[in-house]
Amino acid sequence: MSRGAAPPGRCIGGGWRAAFAGATALLAVLVLCPATAAGAPSETPAHKALWKTQRGDDVRWASPTFDDSAWPSVPLPSTWRELGSQGFDGRVWFRRSFDIDPETRLAAHRNELAILFGPSGYGGYQVYAGGRLLGSSRGWSKGLTFPFAEVFPVPLETIGPGGQLHVAIRVRRVGWIADQRPEAGPVGNVVALGTERALRDHAKVIWSRLLGAELPLFLLALLFLAAVPYHFLLYWRRRQQTGHLWFGLMALCFSVNTLASTYWIYEITSRYDLAVRLSDLTGHVAALFAIQFLWTFFARPIPRLLRAYQLSHGALALFVGLWPDVRLVIASQGLRGLWLLPLLVMAAVLIVREMWRGDVEARTIALGGLVLIALEGIELARQVASLPWLGSLSLPPFGFAAVLIAMGFSLASRFQRVHEELDRLRQTLEEQVKERTAALQVAKEEALSASRAKSQFLANMSHEIRTPMNGVIGMTTLLRETSLTRTQKEYLETIRASGEALLVLINDILEFSKMESGRVAIERAPFELAAVMHESVEIVAPLAARQGLALHQTIAPGAPDALMGDSARIRQVLVNLLGNAVKFTSQGEVRLSLSAQPLEDGQWEAHFAVTDTGIGIAPEDLSRLFLVFHQLEGSLARRHGGTGLGLAISKRLTELMRGRIWAESTLGQGSTFHFTVVGEAAPVPRQRPATANDSSNDADSGLGRSHPLSILIAEDHPVNQQVMLVLLSHLGYRADLARNGQEVLDALARQPYDVILMDVQMPEMDGLEVTQRIRRELPGDRQPSILATTAHAMPGDRERCFAAGMDGYLSKPLQVADLAAALAAARPLRSSPAASQG
């Protein structure tokens, strides 16, 4: 009996920690279960009887009445060589009559009679008794089958009247492979009659002995298979470590290769040609993956020549799997086995080179590699030179097991070293993170300190500038109401324009600081587009009139009357763009236009455009228009002033309103600045009915008569005291003075006040603390309206005033109209002197 030929070779593999225990158990099995010869059963050959034989094929030859006296007689069991059938390919018939003794007849009467035939020579056979087909050997209809011993039940009806059993065997001889196997014969070396149970037990024992002899290889295949999911899982978790992928694929190929090289494969299939193809194909694919794994494991690039050799194994695998005639596949096993030698040599060179470089893992792998190379050499010598060897057990799998153990140690060592290195790196990283965190904390504190210092500086500068500006602009406003000559009015207008320009500068700086701190909030309320445009144009109209410029505004058809948005911020952007247009236009006109288009989500995009006929902007300067503190005229000789913040602020406000801003210009012809805002269409808001306080006469003495109030001024600066007293007098009010917070409390203790104009920064007790004490200590019927009149205009100042309990907020310099509106909204106390007088 001959099993499938071993595959052409094995490949060097990689490690797995569980391989230690599995390989140790495997070696124990090898010691306790020595392999026997797998090519033949272990029982004594049967006695040879004479059979009639004839080449050809005719089913009538199975009939008991057929005359075979002219057929030659041959002994069976015999090999094909002993029968002189070398070179023949086709059907061969054998016939014989058995004399049935009483014991055999009794077994037939009990339906227990059977006949046992040994395995045929890779072709199969059919058995006839009394002209009746008893059955066929496994794989009879296949092209090339593995030879099995077969048991066929013999019915009582097949025994003739004279007590004779006429048996005919129809054998299919596959000449090319039967000629290569000297031990191959028509029916192996067993032909016997007996009870069916005894014969089947006999055949089972024979097959079990063959499987048991190759149990170590079966366990080795399972060991290889167990390593596959482990390495696939490692690769899935660490995709960059492709060595696990290649080793897992190589172990999978070698598991199938080892199984296909044993008798255990015939528990799955009876086809010898399929087992050969599977064994040889996986052997070549394993060689391909072995190259990929080894060179990846040692982090070495694969040279072109080695890559070509690697691909040649892929081509050979395709040849083995797809070539239609298995005869060439089997015939080329020796040559393909020799093609494995370059891999062994190159793997040995690689491992030795890594050992020379001091790679610890390479030394361990080298030990397993030496065992593998030695066993591969012995196996190749046995296959190519037909050297004798005890048994036919395939040796390369055990060499691969040695490499598996070595690789397990290597990977364990590498993992341990990597984990130790990771622990060191983690500890170092933690220390670095702590140091970096501490440094960042220090940097954060320094940055916060710098930010606080900047905010404090801006707050102080704002307060210190706004305080005298309150006196300058307040007194200028009051002075304009007096009788002046034309020259005096011109001088006064110059003072007023200079003060307002300085105020614009301060407001721009504070606005930008507020944006940097992220404290700018965009309101959402309905507003009328035409009203915002009109108000913006009215603000810049005096400047345009002085320069002799025409101002125009247009609204395209289809635009909604009102939108939801922040009208104050839109007005701020429009005034900035219109102011710039007037500033840079010496003659001609400035035009403001509005168009709108609906968006897919039901909202509208309003598009504002400010066009002038001014000096224009060079193309290379357009990209720098919206940079912070950037001016196109940066020299000392520039003709137009400004901080360079207006457009930067407009850009940020536009983006906060979900829009964008851009410019188009032609040098010497003029510019057009565009910006968009997005909002839902809204109904036109109802206009507040006009009152006496809304007219141009708001700031006259009539307010004091129509809305009497008792007022206390809390102000420590003498100039501001005078300005506020004069402003109130102009509105028709008289007021008391308090120079610090304590004087405010003392004044309230003497009498109630309807309104307190509260400065925030005062000596002894500031305005916020005074307000909190008033709200906490005074009863409800004596609580005055407290209006902040402060030069603190930084982000958050208004909120702090309201949080302290104030009712209103007026930033210095005070405007008469703003002060009048705030006083008109204040409620007088019933118990105050002003209320009593009213």
Side-chain angles (χ1 to χ4, degrees):
M1 179 181 293
S2 174
R3 63 178 184 134
R10 300 293 188 267
C11 307
I12 298 174
W16 174 43
R17 292 186 178 183
F20 303 152
T24 303
L26 178 62
L27 295 177
V29 170
L30 295 179
V31 174
L32 297 176
C33 303
T36 59
S42 59
E43 75 280 350
T44 304
H47 174 71
K48 295 184 179 182
L50 294 179
W51 290 65
K52 296 289 188 176
T53 182
Q54 180 64 38
R55 297 178 182 177
D57 192 24
D58 191 340
V59 293
R60 293 177 299 174
W61 295 350
S63 174
T65 60
F66 178 74
D67 182 12
D68 57 8
S69 58
W71 290 12
S73 298
V74 294
L76 284 183
S78 294
T79 65
W80 289 113
R81 182 173 298 179
E82 292 172 343
L83 297 177
S85 299
Q86 293 90 335
F88 176 74
D89 190 90
R91 302 287 195 274
V92 181
W93 282 76
F94 296 89
R95 289 171 52 89
R96 180 192 170 191
S97 296
F98 289 84
D99 293 325
I100 303 301
D101 54 33
E103 183 179 354
T104 304
R105 183 181 292 272
L106 180 61
H109 277 284
R110 293 198 298 264
N111 290 324
E112 296 178 355
L113 183 62
I115 186 169
L116 168 66
F117 289 97
S120 65
Y122 301 95
Y125 50 79
Q126 290 182 318
V127 178
Y128 296 83
R132 180 176 177 178
L133 177 64
L134 299 183
S136 305
S137 63
R138 278 175 283 181
W140 160 261
S141 60
K142 304 297 189 297
L144 194 62
T145 61
F146 182 78
F148 294 93
E150 304 284 355
V151 175
F152 302 96
V154 178
L156 178 63
E157 299 80 34
T158 59
I159 300 176
Q164 288 188 329
L165 177 64
H166 296 279
V167 177
I169 310 174
R170 183 188 185 191
V171 180
R172 179 168 60 88
R173 186 179 192 274
V174 182
W176 64 268
I177 190 168
D179 292 341
Q180 296 178 14
R181 305 291 191 265
E183 74 282 1
V187 290
N189 58 355
V190 178
V191 177
L193 276 174
T195 61
E196 181 177 0
R197 175 178 295 180
L199 293 179
R200 290 193 181 280
D201 288 345
H202 180 72
K204 186 176 181 180
V205 167
I206 296 174
W207 183 243
S208 297
R209 287 178 181 176
L210 295 176
L211 295 179
E214 295 195 330
L215 180 60
L217 291 176
F218 179 73
L219 295 177
L220 189 61
L222 294 180
L223 179 64
F224 297 153
L225 185 62
V228 174
Y230 174 79
H231 285 276
F232 281 175
L233 180 61
L234 288 179
Y235 171 70
W236 182 74
R237 295 179 60 184
R238 305 181 183 92
R239 295 295 179 87
Q240 70 277 10
Q241 298 181 4
T242 56
H244 290 294
L245 173 64
W246 303 127
F247 180 77
L249 292 172
M250 183 178 63
L252 177 62
C253 291
F254 215 90
S255 175
V256 177
N257 177 273
T258 303
L259 179 66
S261 301
T262 66
Y263 290 118
W264 289 89
I265 189 63
Y266 299 112
E267 291 290 296
I268 303 174
T269 179
S270 62
R271 292 184 56 182
Y272 173 75
D273 56 337
L274 181 60
V276 170
R277 288 184 187 272
L278 190 60
S279 174
D280 287 15
L281 184 148
T282 53
H284 286 297
V285 176
L288 185 149
F289 288 134
I291 295 173
Q292 195 68 40
F293 166 73
L294 279 174
W295 268 257
T296 300
F297 180 80
F298 289 115
R300 300 299 173 196
I302 299 179
R304 288 187 178 181
L305 188 61
L306 179 59
R307 181 70 74 185
Y309 173 77
Q310 181 188 28
L311 295 177
S312 71
H313 278 285
L316 289 175
L318 293 175
F319 161 73
V320 170
L322 302 178
W323 194 259
D325 189 0
V326 74
R327 183 187 311 186
L328 185 57
V329 174
I330 295 177
S332 63
Q333 280 183 322
L335 292 177
R336 288 187 287 107
L338 289 175
W339 191 233
L340 183 67
L341 289 176
L343 172 59
L344 300 178
V345 173
M346 288 184 287
V349 170
L350 175 66
I351 294 172
V352 171
R353 183 183 303 164
E354 297 301 322
M355 289 176 57
W356 185 262
R357 291 176 178 174
D359 194 310
V360 179
E361 287 80 15
R363 298 174 184 175
T364 307
I365 297 175
L367 296 177
L370 291 175
V371 176
L372 175 63
I373 293 172
L375 294 180
E376 281 285 358
I378 296 173
E379 181 73 13
L380 289 175
R382 187 180 69 180
Q383 291 183 7
V384 177
S386 300
L387 296 179
W389 180 254
L390 296 176
S392 59
L393 199 63
S394 182
L395 299 179
F398 300 105
F400 189 77
V403 173
L404 191 67
I405 296 174
M407 186 59 67
F409 280 112
S410 299
L411 288 180
S413 175
R414 174 169 291 187
F415 287 158
Q416 182 178 2
R417 188 174 70 253
V418 168
H419 288 316
E420 291 175 353
E421 183 66 25
L422 286 176
D423 289 338
R424 287 195 297 269
L425 289 175
R426 184 165 53 250
Q427 294 175 358
T428 304
L429 183 60
E430 290 176 355
E431 294 175 357
Q432 292 178 348
V433 168
K434 290 180 181 179
E435 294 175 359
R436 183 60 177 165
T437 302
L440 289 175
Q441 187 64 30
V442 172
K444 177 183 177 183
E445 293 297 332
E446 292 177 351
L448 291 176
S449 177
S451 178
R452 287 192 294 267
K454 183 194 75 171
S455 299
Q456 187 63 38
F457 171 77
L458 288 175
N460 292 337
M461 290 300 297
S462 172
H463 182 272
E464 295 304 322
I465 295 176
R466 283 177 181 272
T467 298
M469 284 301 300
N470 185 49
V472 172
I473 295 180
M475 288 299 183
T476 302
T477 302
L478 295 175
L479 189 58
R480 290 174 61 189
E481 303 297 327
T482 64
S483 298
L484 298 173
T485 65
R486 181 174 181 179
T487 302
Q488 289 172 333
K489 288 184 178 180
E490 291 178 355
Y491 292 163
L492 188 62
E493 183 64 24
T494 302
I495 296 174
R496 185 198 64 80
S498 299
E500 290 185 352
L502 183 58
L503 187 61
V504 169
L505 171 62
I506 297 172
N507 290 335
D508 281 349
I509 294 175
L510 295 181
E511 183 74 15
F512 184 74
S513 176
K514 187 186 299 184
M515 288 184 176
E516 278 193 324
S517 62
R519 298 180 182 178
V520 175
I522 298 299
E523 298 181 356
R524 292 183 57 77
F527 68 94
E528 189 176 359
L529 290 168
V532 172
M533 293 176 63
H534 178 71
E535 293 167 1
S536 303
V537 170
E538 286 297 316
I539 292 174
V540 299
L543 179 60
R546 283 197 297 269
Q547 295 185 202
L549 301 177
L551 280 176
H552 304 284
Q553 54 179 320
T554 59
I555 299 178
D561 294 330
L563 285 181
M564 293 291 294
D566 194 329
S567 59
R569 296 300 182 181
I570 295 176
R571 186 187 304 112
Q572 182 178 350
V573 176
L574 284 174
V575 169
N576 181 267
L577 297 181
L578 288 169
N580 285 343
V582 171
K583 183 192 303 184
F584 292 98
T585 303
S586 58
Q587 59 181 357
E589 65 176 10
V590 174
R591 182 177 298 275
L592 171 61
S593 62
L594 168 68
S595 62
Q597 62 176 355
L599 302 179
E600 294 180 356
D601 56 359
Q603 297 187 339
W604 285 79
E605 181 184 64
H607 178 187
F608 297 90
V610 177
T611 304
D612 62 59
T613 58
I615 60 176
I617 304 171
E620 61 271 14
D621 291 330
L622 284 175
S623 60
R624 298 182 288 126
L625 278 177
F626 303 99
L627 299 180
V628 179
F629 299 117
H630 179 77
Q631 294 175 316
L632 299 185
E633 290 184 316
S635 66
L636 295 176
R638 59 190 178 132
R639 292 170 295 170
H640 306 282
T643 62
L645 284 174
L647 289 178
I649 293 173
S650 298
K651 181 176 186 296
R652 297 198 180 187
L653 288 176
T654 303
E655 292 171 349
L656 288 173
M657 293 185 287
R658 296 181 294 167
R660 62 192 184 98
I661 187 170
W662 71 98
E664 299 170 348
S665 182
T666 301
L667 192 62
Q669 298 182 15
S671 306
T672 300
F673 281 79
H674 307 262
F675 77 94
T676 62
V677 295
V678 176
E680 301 89 351
V684 177
R686 296 177 60 185
Q687 298 294 328
R688 183 167 57 92
T691 65
N693 294 333
D694 293 329
S695 67
S696 59
N697 296 323
D698 286 339
D700 60 15
S701 59
L703 180 62
R705 290 191 301 270
S706 63
H707 189 62
L709 297 170
S710 60
I711 301 173
L712 175 65
I713 299 173
E715 175 63 60
D716 65 314
H717 197 282
V719 174
N720 288 337
Q721 292 174 0
Q722 183 180 2
V723 169
M724 296 180 70
L725 286 172
V726 174
L727 287 177
L728 290 173
S729 176
H730 189 74
L731 294 173
Y733 292 106
R734 296 181 61 185
D736 296 334
L737 279 175
R739 296 173 179 81
N740 55 58
Q742 187 58 48
E743 291 187 7
V744 172
L745 296 178
D746 295 340
L748 287 172
R750 291 191 299 268
Q751 72 175 65
Y753 288 94
D754 297 319
V755 176
I756 299 177
L757 300 178
M758 183 77 73
D759 189 18
V760 173
Q761 183 171 326
M762 294 186 298
E764 297 189 21
M765 189 183 303
D766 62 44
L768 299 178
E769 184 179 354
V770 174
T771 302
Q772 291 171 350
R773 289 191 58 178
I774 292 173
R775 297 307 187 205
R776 185 171 61 249
E777 297 175 2
L778 292 184
D781 58 350
R782 295 192 60 183
Q783 287 287 342
S785 296
I786 303 178
L787 304 178
T789 56
T790 177
H792 289 282
M794 291 294 292
D797 288 340
R798 176 190 295 268
E799 291 75 12
R800 282 193 292 271
C801 292
F802 286 116
M806 296 185 182
D807 302 295
Y809 177 89
L810 298 172
S811 64
K812 297 175 182 177
L814 297 180
Q815 302 293 329
V816 177
D818 295 337
L819 179 60
L823 294 176
R827 291 184 177 182
L829 299 177
R830 293 181 180 180
S831 60
S832 68
S836 302
Q837 296 169 7

